[in-house]
Amino acid sequence: MTFRSGVITGITPMQVEAAAAPQAPSRSSGAFGRALGRMAGRAASRVTGEYTYEAYDVANSAAGDLVNAATAPTAGARTVTAYMVMLRFDEGGESAIRAASVDNLRVGARARVFGSGANAQIVAE
């Protein structure tokens, strides 16, 4: 595992959904969206007289959006406080990393970042 060291330049609290991890569409909703998209694409090809990939793609995307919207969490979902931690790394780069907690972290303190992307973890030095 690699790590990078740097100085914390900012900590900003923010509200995020309690289930912060993006939820992938379920297998059943994905299959339903694809089937609905195929049917809409075929219907569009009958109307235009020719089957085009563009008609299929638009219909498939619209059907997928419709299915995803129908299975999305409801409005008013519970939120929690997370933190956006800005770091200036020793090699000169900067990065903003989301952290669930900022215990032992403060602006101006040195910290290490283990991992990258959504799996990055910040630890005070």
Side-chain angles (χ1 to χ4, degrees), residues 29-85:
S29 68
F32 180 68
R34 285 189 300 276
L36 188 59
R38 280 191 216 96
M39 290 182 344
R42 288 184 190 122
S45 69
R46 286 189 198 110
V47 170
T48 62
E50 62 182 49
Y51 180 83
T52 63
Y53 178 75
E54 289 80 14
Y56 172 80
D57 190 40
V58 168
N60 191 27
S61 296
D65 291 345
L66 179 66
V67 169
N68 288 339
T71 59
T74 59
R78 193 171 74 93
T79 60
V80 295
T81 301
Y83 301 88
M84 190 60 64
V85 180

